[in-house]
Amino acid sequence: MFSSFKQQSSQWQQQFARRQSAGPLQRLLAWLILGLMLLAGAAILVFMLLLSWILIPILLFRHRAKVKAWQQRQQGGASGEAGAEQPRSVIEGEVLRKRED
């Protein structure tokens, strides 16, 4: 069991040593790609941050306006019930048959 682990670790070390012996052009390309990926991630982060700074106040304003309108409707409904009568619709009809159950 331990011998297979030692063999595996020696293989990993050999592979790592081969990768370390890469040419300067490959290292430069790897660093360039890593830098571009970090730059793209930072740009996305800044874009999302600015978008949130723009959208959050707008959404809060809309929510507060909806709550204010709802409160005004509730207050208007409460005062309307106590005050003048609201018009009601009347359904007229005729009873043809009444069951005596």
Side-chain angles (χ1 to χ4, degrees):
M1 179 175 167
F2 288 112
S3 63
S4 66
F5 178 72
K6 287 180 182 179
Q7 289 173 354
Q8 187 68 34
S9 66
S10 66
Q11 287 175 358
W12 286 342
Q13 288 175 354
Q14 289 172 0
Q15 288 178 359
F16 184 70
R18 279 189 296 238
R19 288 184 187 160
Q20 288 294 327
S21 64
L25 186 61
Q26 287 179 335
R27 285 186 182 184
L28 182 66
L29 183 63
W31 279 107
L32 186 63
I33 290 173
L34 178 65
L36 288 175
M37 289 175 64
L38 287 173
L39 190 64
I44 291 172
L45 179 70
V46 168
F47 174 73
M48 291 297 181
L49 183 66
L50 291 175
L51 188 66
S52 69
W53 283 352
I54 293 169
L55 289 180
I56 288 175
I58 293 170
L59 294 174
L60 283 175
F61 176 76
R62 288 179 63 198
H63 177 69
R64 287 181 186 150
K66 286 180 184 179
V67 168
K68 189 174 180 182
W70 178 78
Q71 287 175 347
Q72 288 177 350
R73 279 197 312 268
Q74 293 297 322
Q75 290 172 354
S79 65
E81 290 174 4
E85 296 257 341
Q86 295 180 358
R88 295 185 176 150
S89 59
V90 177
I91 300 174
E92 295 184 17
E94 180 180 338
V95 177
L96 298 176
R97 224 181 313 162
K98 185 177 177 185
R99 289 194 284 179
E100 302 275 337
D101 290 342

